[in-house]
């Protein structure tokens, strides 16, 4: 097996230069970097990652804990994170917390045991106090889709209240006044914030949310289909429906079609997230853009800046949602 010394000799550079190229942590002239890479390829040299980690006190790996691994929302998030790290020569270790307290804590412990240089956490069940205690420890971490004032400098979040407001205001601007709502699990901060935005929009039009037109879903397609069926059974009339995410909106649209309702002629539907399938539903789904891929990218940039001292990385910490108007909303008649 070739050694770093042989790479150094063949490339005609110092051991320090070879190390800099391998660790990608110090600028090296491109022509020199190419000599080293060519020598490594010619000798079929593979750096010993364990030895590198011991020498640099860095594993060049980042732990990522997300709520789930399924669905387009988390796929977009992980894509944004992984692409940014891969471009920087880093790798990710991914696990899921499933919005469960014990599972989230176990996932954090697992990632710390893997000697990750930093963590990116999309967690919902662990408390703010737990995260404040974690922040006092030795492992750097950044939070996605969560804001804690005491550690605001390590939070990447979306203004979900504004997103909920924009969704309902769009329906109100189209003349709808009887508006039903399918929420996410209300113990989750983002679900509560979106509903508060919904209430604010109604208040601007001197309306209040009707408890009979509220259903607490689960952020999954089944929550949307069950929610619509439950709302219709109340016998209360409504011309528009806000769903707290696109998956539930998709489930609601499918259930409506099976029940013989035309979308949007008989029922306008709003989603939230703007995941990739929202453009391909029939009709195309009006929704709120949640730039989760860009937010994942920003979380990765935070790590690159704070942990690996890549000062060129600017980090945007607060994101604003935007209305995406498509075909699933029609003006009230």
């Amino acid at each position: 097996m070739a050694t770093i010394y042989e790479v150094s000799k063949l490339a005609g550079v110092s051991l320090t230069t070879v190390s800099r190229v391998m660790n990608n942590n110090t600028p090296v002239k491109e022509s020199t970097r190419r000599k080293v890479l060519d020598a490594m390829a010619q000798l079929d040299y593979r750096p010993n990652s364990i030895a590198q980690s011991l020498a640099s006190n860095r594993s060049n790996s980042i732990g990522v804990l997300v709520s789930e691994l399924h669905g387009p929302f988390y796929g977009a998030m992980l894509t944004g994170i992984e692409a940014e790290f891969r471009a920087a020569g880093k790798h990710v270790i991914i696990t899921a917390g499933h919005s469960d307290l014990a599972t989230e804590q176990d996932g954090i412990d697992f990632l710390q045991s893997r000697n990750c240089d930093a963590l990116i956490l999309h967690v919902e069940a662990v408390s703010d106090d737990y995260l404040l205690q974690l922040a006092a420890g030795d492992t750097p971490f950044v939070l996605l889709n969560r804001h804690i004032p005491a550690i605001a400098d390590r939070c990447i979040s979306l203004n979900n209240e504004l997103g909920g407001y924009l969704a309902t205001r769009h329906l109100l601007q189209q003349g709808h006044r009887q508006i039903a709502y399918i929420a996410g699990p209300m113990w989750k901060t983002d679900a509560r914030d979106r509903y508060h935005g919904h209430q604010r929009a109604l208040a601007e039009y001197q309306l209040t949310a009707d408890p009979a037109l509220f259903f607490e879903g689960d952020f999954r397609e089944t929550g949307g289909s069950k929610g619509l069926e439950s709302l219709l059974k109340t016998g209360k009339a409504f011309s528009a429906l806000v769903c707290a995410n696109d998956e539930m909106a998709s489930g609601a649209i499918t259930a409506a079609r099976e029940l013989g309702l035309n979308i949007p002629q008989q029922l306008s539907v709003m989603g939230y997230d703007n995941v990739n399938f929202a453009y391909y539903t029939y009709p195309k789904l009006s929704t709120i853009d949640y730039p989760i891929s860009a937010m994942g990218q920003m979380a990765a940039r935070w790590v690159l800046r704070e942990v690996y001292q890549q000062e060129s990385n600017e980090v945007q910490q607060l994101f604003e949602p935007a209305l995406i108007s498509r075909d699933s909303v029609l003006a009230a008649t």
Side-chain angles (χ1 to χ4, degrees), residues 86-264:
R86 181 164 292 277
K90 316 298 180 186
H91 296 273
V92 296
I93 301 173
I94 300 168
T95 189
H98 303 294
S99 301
D100 174 78
L101 176 62
T103 307
E104 287 184 353
Q105 291 178 339
D106 181 67
I108 291 170
D109 291 342
F110 164 73
L111 293 172
Q112 288 180 310
S113 75
R114 305 303 296 176
N115 296 320
C116 294
D117 295 332
L119 307 180
I120 294 176
L121 304 177
H122 182 277
V123 288
E124 298 172 306
V126 294
S127 67
D128 287 1
D129 286 341
Y130 173 88
L131 292 168
L132 290 173
Q133 290 178 2
L134 187 66
D138 297 329
T139 305
F141 70 89
V142 58
L143 290 174
L144 257 177
N145 194 34
R146 187 159 174 175
H147 180 79
I148 301 175
I151 51 172
D153 60 328
R154 59 174 78 203
C155 298
I156 310 292
S157 59
L158 180 78
N159 188 341
N160 275 294
E161 193 275 345
L162 176 59
Y165 168 82
L166 293 174
T168 299
R169 188 185 68 172
H170 179 56
L171 294 172
L172 292 164
Q173 289 173 336
Q174 298 301 311
H176 295 280
R177 296 296 181 266
Q178 296 168 305
I179 302 173
Y181 193 93
I182 299 178
M186 290 297 281
W187 67 268
K188 295 188 177 186
T189 302
D190 53 356
R192 291 197 305 273
D193 287 347
R194 293 172 196 185
Y195 186 63
H196 291 159
H198 167 73
Q199 292 175 307
R200 177 161 71 94
L202 290 175
E204 284 191 0
Y205 282 74
Q206 291 74 54
L207 300 171
T208 56
D210 185 343
L213 294 181
F214 173 88
F215 181 87
E216 184 174 351
D218 56 7
F219 279 147
R220 300 193 179 190
E221 289 184 26
T222 51
S225 57
K226 291 178 181 177
L228 179 65
E229 291 167 3
S230 177
L231 291 166
L232 290 172
K233 286 178 181 178
T234 66
K236 299 276 288 191
F238 55 96
S239 63
L241 172 66
V242 178
C243 296
N245 77 341
D246 289 345
E247 286 195 51
M248 292 195 300
S250 175
I253 288 174
T254 299
R257 188 171 293 115
E258 290 174 351
L259 292 168
L261 289 174
N262 291 321
I263 308 292

Side-chain angles (χ1 to χ4, degrees), residues 44-58:
D44 195 26
Y45 175 75
R46 298 288 185 272
N48 186 316
S49 60
I50 297 176
Q52 281 183 296
S53 176
L54 291 172
S56 65
N57 201 29
R58 295 289 187 207

